[in-house]
Amino acid sequence: MDGKIVKQFTKFIYPFKYHKPDTTCRIFEEIQSSKGNPIRIWDCFGIDGQDLHEEIANLYSFHETRERIADCFQLGIHNKCREAIGLPPKATDNITFTMRGRKDTVNISIPNVRVYLFESEVGFIEVECEYQTQNIEDYIDCNYFISEIKSEKNTFTMQRRISATEKFVSTFTMEDLIKNVLYYVGDDIRFFDNVGKEFNEKKPIIYSYLLLDKKPTNLEQIIYYARKNYKASYKPPASDFIIEGNPQVYQTFDNSYWGTSQYGTTNISFLVGDRQTDEFFHNNFVYKLNNSYFHLFLSVLHQKYATRLLTTKMSHLDKVVKDYEIMQQQACQAREYQAQSASLKFRAFFNVPSNIEHVNRYYDLVTHTFEIEKIYQSFNEDLNSIISLSDTYTAKSNEYQREKKELERKKIGVYVLLFGTIISAVTMLSSVWTVIEKIAGEPVRVGSPLMIIIFSALLLLITVAAANVFIRIHEIKEASYQLEEQKRTGELGKDCIRKKRRKYIRIKDKEHLQKESE
């Protein structure tokens, strides 16, 4: 690849999820300097969003604002702060990077390490590297192999001074560095896409800048490898190198291109021989890359992973549960996720971040590449489906309770009817007996023919009433059994779900017919 590197940096971003407040968080921990003074290992800082609308610029402000959604920390510049996580004392100190499969090494420096803790319980670790090389293939391979944490052959080696005359060599990996940083963030940390796996399976997302001394003849290939974070030996089809019409490439200026992919975002620029233009890309543009542009890049990453965190939480809800009390609890939990989703949308999503057109187009490029709208829409569709299902089951659960109470009321009414019939029969017998004795003028014997007839009639009445009662009780028990069986098997609510499904199918069929007619 022709052309030489004039300026370069790469930020390696590791997204993770944490719990707040976390009592194991040691981000405010202090150490003692050689003079005994307390030193904060991590300093608070803010990202300058000077090209962005004020409410968006304040998302990562150093000062407390109502818009701020994240606490930002960077490793202190004191040599003891850097040594605390295993780095050389100075930000400019060279570290030798050895890559798997390559005999030659590249000297690099790690000037900055930062941590971003969002209110959504999503966090990011940023490790910034600069390569001491002018070779483009070195830049491409360093990005790739530093990202390849799983190989222990990708190592950093540095010399550490013990005394004025004594040194020793220290070797570490990116995994060692990240674990040292995580010690200060807390103990309960989980990485996305990493369930049940070791951290060394995790690849970072990159954000990089490459300034070349001239326009290279193979610019398309450089943009491809840089935005995809592939090593230089990878041979894709020629069609993958095309820039024109590529939705993941945006030419901001005549000498500057943005390239994006799911693996990261890069800017490739080159000098043109004009003093003012070249000065801008040496200095001012680098400042903007580290602030406004990175501000938007970080916002997109947060939108993606905060939504995915909600999706992970939602996935624990059971979509086929047949216990109505659990469904009621899930309905409440789903609505809580819905409220969190609405808060996230209000706090962290935006469409037009700046009055500068190419800044807005850059933001659109990154959000489109990371499919932010699709991820958020898919989450809310699934969430609404669960809420609808839970509401259906909850409504049927309430109906079940009403029917159960109604059956209990009927059962009590039947027993009342039976006892009322018996009492009425006894009362009637007593009254008839008294009337007959008055008419006859003498006591009536129980065994007389008249009393036998009366007793038989009353007995028949009680028997008929009792038989009717037992039939009603049997019907109530059968209805109760069917109701309990429907609850146990989940049959309640299926009619409503079938109706909704038929309505959904009709709507989809209608949309399909409309598309065919068009």
Side-chain angles (χ1 to χ4, degrees):
M1 296 183 181
D2 62 340
K4 293 182 179 180
I5 298 175
V6 177
K7 202 174 191 66
Q8 175 276 333
F9 69 79
T10 298
K11 299 174 184 286
F12 297 89
I13 313 296
Y14 296 88
F16 62 89
K17 42 193 170 182
Y18 72 103
H19 293 289
K20 62 172 189 178
D22 189 349
T23 56
T24 64
C25 181
R26 294 170 280 267
I27 202 75
F28 298 103
E29 189 170 292
E30 294 181 343
I31 54 177
Q32 297 293 320
S33 69
S34 56
K35 296 182 179 180
N37 298 321
I39 303 170
R40 282 275 303 274
I41 299 177
W42 297 93
D43 295 326
C44 297
F45 83 106
I47 303 177
D48 183 8
Q50 62 177 3
D51 294 331
L52 309 178
H53 295 312
E54 182 180 0
E55 67 277 9
I56 297 172
N58 287 336
L59 291 179
Y60 316 120
S61 171
F62 178 84
H63 305 286
E64 286 281 354
T65 64
R66 63 177 184 176
E67 296 93 355
R68 195 176 74 165
I69 61 174
D71 293 321
C72 309
F73 304 92
Q74 64 181 1
L75 188 64
I77 60 174
H78 196 282
N79 57 2
K80 285 190 173 294
C81 298
R82 294 178 57 83
E83 290 174 352
I85 64 169
L87 290 179
K90 296 181 180 179
T92 56
D93 286 347
N94 279 342
I95 304 171
T96 302
F97 180 54
T98 303
M99 290 171 269
R100 174 181 58 84
R102 280 187 52 161
K103 293 182 180 180
D104 54 330
T105 61
V106 176
N107 286 333
I108 74 169
S109 60
I110 302 179
N112 292 303
V113 178
R114 299 184 177 99
V115 176
Y116 306 90
L117 300 178
F118 285 81
E119 62 186 14
S120 61
E121 298 190 340
V122 170
F124 299 95
I125 295 173
E126 171 202 330
V127 179
E128 183 178 348
C129 295
E130 295 179 357
Y131 310 141
Q132 313 306 318
T133 178
Q134 291 184 312
N135 187 283
I136 298 174
E137 288 193 13
D138 285 345
Y139 156 81
I140 291 172
D141 282 350
C142 281
N143 281 352
Y144 175 82
F145 286 107
I146 290 178
S147 299
E148 189 190 45
I149 300 179
K150 64 183 179 182
S151 176
E152 295 181 355
K153 296 181 179 180
N154 298 320
T155 59
F156 302 97
T157 304
M158 63 181 184
Q159 288 188 345
R160 302 188 68 171
R161 184 180 295 276
I162 300 176
S163 63
T165 58
E166 192 175 0
K167 299 179 181 179
F168 79 96
V169 176
S170 174
T171 300
F172 64 96
T173 65
M174 180 62 84
E175 180 180 6
D176 297 329
L177 178 60
I178 296 301
K179 287 183 176 179
N180 289 341
V181 174
L182 288 178
Y183 166 81
Y184 295 97
V185 177
D187 295 338
D188 192 8
I189 303 296
R190 296 289 183 273
F191 284 88
F192 291 89
D193 301 324
N194 205 38
V195 179
K197 298 180 181 179
E198 295 297 325
F199 170 69
N200 60 19
E201 293 291 328
K202 179 65 183 169
K203 288 193 69 172
I205 301 163
I206 66 167
Y207 176 87
S208 64
Y209 175 54
L210 190 63
L211 179 62
L212 305 176
D213 63 338
K214 63 180 180 179
K215 182 177 182 179
T217 57
N218 55 354
L219 176 63
E220 295 84 355
Q221 288 92 328
I222 297 173
I223 293 175
Y224 175 83
Y225 286 113
R227 70 184 179 86
K228 289 283 190 179
N229 195 15
Y230 290 165
K231 57 184 175 180
S233 61
Y234 180 75
K235 304 300 181 186
S239 58
D240 285 359
F241 292 140
I242 297 175
I243 292 179
E244 293 297 328
N246 191 325
Q248 295 185 340
V249 178
Y250 168 47
Q251 184 177 2
T252 316
F253 308 107
D254 182 59
N255 65 322
S256 184
Y257 293 79
W258 283 102
T260 63
S261 74
Q262 290 284 341
Y263 310 104
T265 295
T266 187
N267 181 273
I268 309 294
S269 301
F270 50 88
L271 303 179
V272 295
D274 179 82
R275 186 179 63 83
Q276 288 186 335
T277 301
D278 291 349
E279 177 67 21
F280 172 78
F281 281 94
H282 260 293
N283 299 303
N284 292 359
F285 190 57
V286 175
Y287 180 83
K288 291 177 181 293
L289 288 173
N290 280 311
N291 287 276
S292 297
Y293 287 105
F294 183 71
H295 187 295
L296 295 179
F297 179 73
L298 188 65
S299 295
V300 172
L301 291 185
H302 174 242
Q303 292 164 6
K304 175 181 178 178
Y305 287 101
T307 304
R308 288 193 53 192
L309 180 57
L310 286 176
T311 303
T312 301
K313 292 179 180 179
M314 181 187 67
S315 66
H316 296 303
L317 298 178
D318 194 339
K319 301 176 181 62
V320 293
V321 70
K322 296 175 181 178
D323 187 299
Y324 294 90
E325 292 182 359
I326 294 178
M327 286 301 288
Q328 286 177 321
Q329 294 173 3
Q330 289 198 160
C332 293
Q333 187 63 67
R335 283 191 168 81
E336 174 61 27
Y337 295 152
Q338 193 175 47
Q340 292 179 25
S341 173
S343 176
L344 176 66
K345 184 78 172 178
F346 176 73
R347 298 273 289 158
F349 281 69
F350 43 87
N351 294 322
V352 183
S354 174
N355 288 324
I356 302 174
E357 182 180 354
H358 62 259
V359 172
N360 292 331
R361 290 189 64 183
Y362 158 78
Y363 177 70
D364 291 341
L365 173 74
V366 180
T367 54
H368 174 76
T369 300
F370 282 90
E371 301 180 318
I372 300 304
E373 194 60 37
K374 287 184 180 179
I375 294 172
Y376 186 78
Q377 183 178 352
S378 176
F379 161 74
N380 280 282
E381 286 177 353
D382 290 344
L383 182 61
N384 290 333
S385 296
I386 291 178
I387 291 175
S388 178
L389 180 63
S390 300
D391 287 345
T392 300
Y393 272 78
T394 301
K396 283 297 179 179
S397 176
N398 294 334
E399 182 180 338
Y400 159 78
Q401 295 295 338
R402 288 194 299 271
E403 291 184 14
K404 187 175 181 181
K405 289 180 181 179
E406 180 64 19
L407 290 174
E408 291 295 330
R409 188 185 64 77
K410 289 181 179 179
K411 187 185 292 186
I412 294 173
V414 168
Y415 284 119
V416 170
L417 175 63
L418 176 61
F419 288 117
T421 302
I422 294 172
I423 293 171
S424 298
V426 172
T427 302
M428 185 181 297
L429 176 61
S430 176
S431 299
V432 171
W433 197 317
T434 302
V435 170
I436 292 173
E437 283 183 339
K438 286 183 178 180
I439 293 173
E442 60 182 12
V444 179
R445 290 180 294 106
V446 175
S448 65
L450 181 60
M451 292 307 299
I452 291 174
I453 293 172
I454 293 172
F455 269 120
S456 298
L458 292 175
L459 183 60
L460 178 62
L461 177 63
I462 293 172
T463 302
V464 171
N468 184 52
V469 166
F470 288 129
I471 292 172
R472 294 289 303 279
I473 290 175
H474 177 73
E475 291 175 350
I476 291 171
K477 285 184 176 180
E478 184 68 23
S480 297
Y481 173 78
Q482 291 178 359
L483 190 63
E484 291 293 336
E485 186 67 14
Q486 286 178 343
K487 178 189 176 186
R488 185 182 66 81
T489 58
E491 290 296 320
L492 286 177
K494 278 193 174 181
D495 289 340
C496 182
I497 294 172
R498 291 191 189 101
K499 290 177 182 177
K500 288 185 177 180
R501 177 172 174 77
R502 285 197 295 269
K503 181 179 179 182
Y504 174 79
I505 292 173
R506 286 198 301 271
I507 292 172
K508 288 297 179 183
D509 288 343
K510 185 177 180 181
E511 291 176 352
H512 180 68
L513 290 173
Q514 286 178 346
K515 287 181 179 179
E516 285 189 344
S517 64
E518 292 173 357

